[in-house]
Amino acid sequence: MSEITNTTAEKKKKGMTARDLTTLGLLTGVLLLMSFTPLGYFRTLGLDISLMMIPVGIGAMLLGPKAGAWLGFIFGATSFYQSMSGSSPFSTMLFNINPFYTFLLCIPTRMLMGFLTGVIFKAVHKLDKKKTACFFIGGFFAAFLNTVFFMSVLILCYWNTEFIQGINETLGSLNPLLFVVAFVGVNGALEMPASCIVGGVVSKAVSRTLYKKVV
């Protein structure tokens, strides 16, 4: 019995299993597919409505914070590419103003979102006796943190630019906090429930079939 326990402990120390790597690869592929099809982004007059945080959240919950950070990097890298290629008018305008700030806006924010989603899920999972609510909470936080980090960097780096102030004037010359609320209102109302429900349902279902260790 002790030998089996030692073997299990050794596997955990080695890192991800072949199943974990396969799941991570599939989620990476899903993100790349979504990024170049209408499945990932819905274009609006303001911020793009994105569902890209859903696979990031699922991976963070199933595979842990490090996998969440990797998937967040893929999400951010595709977003940064869109700002360079011109496929996203809003982010392309930001890129033209300051490419380095756009890099900070797209990539570190999404990596931190994925990592912290995994951390939050682990913490809530320990308290969730039925091992169900934790998946929906994790799905919600993937979208919530994505919005918080993105908008925080946007305000810090671009608030005083003519582009953002021009948008702010159309909203009534609001202070930064009210600007964030008004600007992401529709996006947040769609992204957070979608990430909570879809991310929660999918991650719970996958964990029951492939990752019984999580349930």
Side-chain angles (χ1 to χ4, degrees), residues 43 48 76-96 98-99 102-103 105-106:
R43 308 300 179 193
D48 296 334
T78 60
S79 179
F80 187 61
Y81 171 78
Q82 292 193 1
S83 71
M84 294 188 296
S85 65
S87 55
S88 171
F90 180 80
S91 60
T92 297
M93 182 63 72
L94 298 179
F95 181 85
N96 291 333
N98 192 309
T102 307
F103 171 84
L105 186 70
C106 292

Side-chain angles (χ1 to χ4, degrees), residues 7-209:
T7 302
T8 303
E10 289 176 1
K11 287 183 179 179
K12 289 182 178 180
K13 288 180 180 180
K14 289 181 180 179
M16 302 181 75
T17 65
R19 180 180 57 184
D20 294 335
L21 291 172
T22 300
T23 302
L24 185 62
L26 287 173
L27 289 171
T28 299
V30 168
L31 282 170
L32 292 173
L33 175 64
M34 291 177 67
S35 68
F36 295 107
T37 65
L39 295 173
Y41 297 94
F42 299 93
R43 308 300 179 193
T44 67
L45 296 177
L47 286 173
D48 296 334
I49 298 174
S50 175
L51 301 178
M52 295 282 284
M53 77 290 295
I54 296 177
V56 178
I58 292 171
M61 289 186 280
L62 294 177
L63 304 173
K66 291 181 180 180
W70 164 256
L71 294 169
F73 168 76
I74 298 299
F75 175 15
T78 60
S79 179
F80 187 61
Y81 171 78
Q82 292 193 1
S83 71
M84 294 188 296
S85 65
S87 55
S88 171
F90 180 80
S91 60
T92 297
M93 182 63 72
L94 298 179
F95 181 85
N96 291 333
I97 295 171
N98 192 309
F100 178 69
Y101 286 166
T102 307
F103 171 84
L104 295 179
L105 186 70
C106 292
I107 296 181
T109 55
R110 273 57 187 268
M111 292 181 69
L112 186 58
M113 174 270 289
F115 182 84
L116 289 181
T117 296
V119 171
I120 291 170
F121 172 77
K122 279 189 171 182
V124 177
H125 181 265
K126 293 178 181 178
L127 302 174
D128 184 7
K129 295 181 179 179
K130 294 186 177 180
K131 309 302 180 188
T132 297
C134 56
F135 292 97
F136 293 92
I137 291 173
F140 169 81
F141 269 99
F144 176 76
L145 293 175
N146 181 62
T147 299
V148 168
F149 294 147
F150 183 91
M151 291 305 299
S152 295
V153 175
L154 180 71
I155 295 299
L156 287 172
C157 295
Y158 290 99
W159 177 247
N160 292 320
T161 63
E162 292 183 7
F163 177 54
I164 295 300
Q165 286 304 313
I167 296 174
N168 191 30
E169 286 181 9
T170 64
L171 297 175
S173 298
L174 305 172
N175 63 48
L177 179 59
L178 292 178
F179 172 81
V180 170
V181 173
F183 197 46
V184 303
V186 175
N187 299 62
L190 294 174
E191 290 177 354
M192 292 180 199
S195 182
C196 176
I197 296 171
V198 177
V201 170
V202 173
S203 58
K204 173 65 176 178
V206 174
S207 71
R208 291 186 65 180
T209 56

